[in-house]
Amino acid sequence: MPSKNASLLPHYESLRGQLQHALVVDAQAGELLHSLRTLDAPLAQLLPQNVVAATAPHLELAFAWYPENAPLSLYLYCNNVPVPGSRGIFSGGRLFLPIPASMLKPSGTENELVAVMRFLIGGWKYQLWVDVGGQRELLDQGRDNDPGSPNDDSFIRTVRFGGGQS
């Protein structure tokens, strides 16, 4: 008996292709990333309702990069504290990282996010998004200015967010 989710595969592959295209042409990829996030982890269908409520992130960061097979070495800190699950080498073109509420400063106070990144191959582009309660904001984006040279493949980005939220 075929799985009822088999029909989602063409849609999923289409979204992946659209995401990669958006990165190539420097288009906003936040909505595509959110759609893929929903397909990657449909928590409400897999876990009891009370567990879903307990695990829903207060804030989630989303990285998207091109090419999706490019390995990305990442160390991420929020307010000088390492973000759980954000240290290592990742591939696949996207990464979703929930930030526990306990790591965030009180509402209305600016938070600082430091990303230490290194792409292990040249020719990359990336976007970093933050999602707070379904509101997505592009925090940072970048591209490899010299694909033939590894000189710009390692860098540190510091971004601030949340200062104007009430």
Side-chain angles (χ1 to χ4, degrees):
M1 180 170 155
S3 167
K4 66 178 182 177
N5 291 334
S7 64
L8 290 177
L9 188 58
H11 179 62
Y12 181 80
E13 290 300 322
S14 173
L15 285 172
R16 280 183 52 211
Q18 291 174 51
L19 174 65
Q20 291 293 292
H21 177 74
L23 291 170
V24 168
V25 300
D26 297 323
Q28 299 285 305
E31 293 305 316
L32 291 167
L33 207 49
H34 180 71
S35 296
L36 280 164
R37 171 70 172 109
T38 302
L39 290 176
D40 278 343
L43 286 177
Q45 296 172 9
L46 301 176
L47 300 172
Q49 189 64 31
N50 59 345
V51 176
V52 172
T55 60
H58 174 74
L59 177 145
E60 187 171 58
L61 297 170
F63 280 89
W65 66 90
Y66 171 87
E68 68 179 1
N69 66 342
L72 168 65
S73 173
L74 176 68
Y75 293 87
L76 190 64
Y77 302 87
C78 183
N79 299 319
N80 295 319
V81 177
V83 174
S86 70
R87 299 172 64 151
I89 296 176
F90 304 92
S91 63
R94 62 189 180 280
L95 177 63
F96 302 97
L97 298 165
I99 305 291
S102 61
M103 294 184 75
L104 299 173
K105 293 181 180 176
S107 183
T109 307
E110 189 173 72
N111 291 280
E112 182 179 78
L113 181 73
V114 177
V116 180
M117 298 183 277
R118 179 171 185 240
F119 284 93
L120 304 180
I121 64 171
W124 49 265
K125 289 184 175 186
Y126 78 90
Q127 290 183 8
L128 170 61
W129 291 81
V130 63
D131 185 318
V132 181
Q135 297 293 318
R136 283 169 285 288
E137 178 185 345
L138 179 64
L139 290 180
D140 192 38
Q141 59 186 336
R143 69 173 52 227
D144 188 354
N145 292 320
D146 187 0
S149 170
N151 291 340
D152 65 347
D153 293 342
S154 297
F155 50 96
I156 298 172
R157 289 285 191 264
T158 301
V159 294
R160 291 172 179 79
F161 62 93
Q165 296 174 352
S166 53

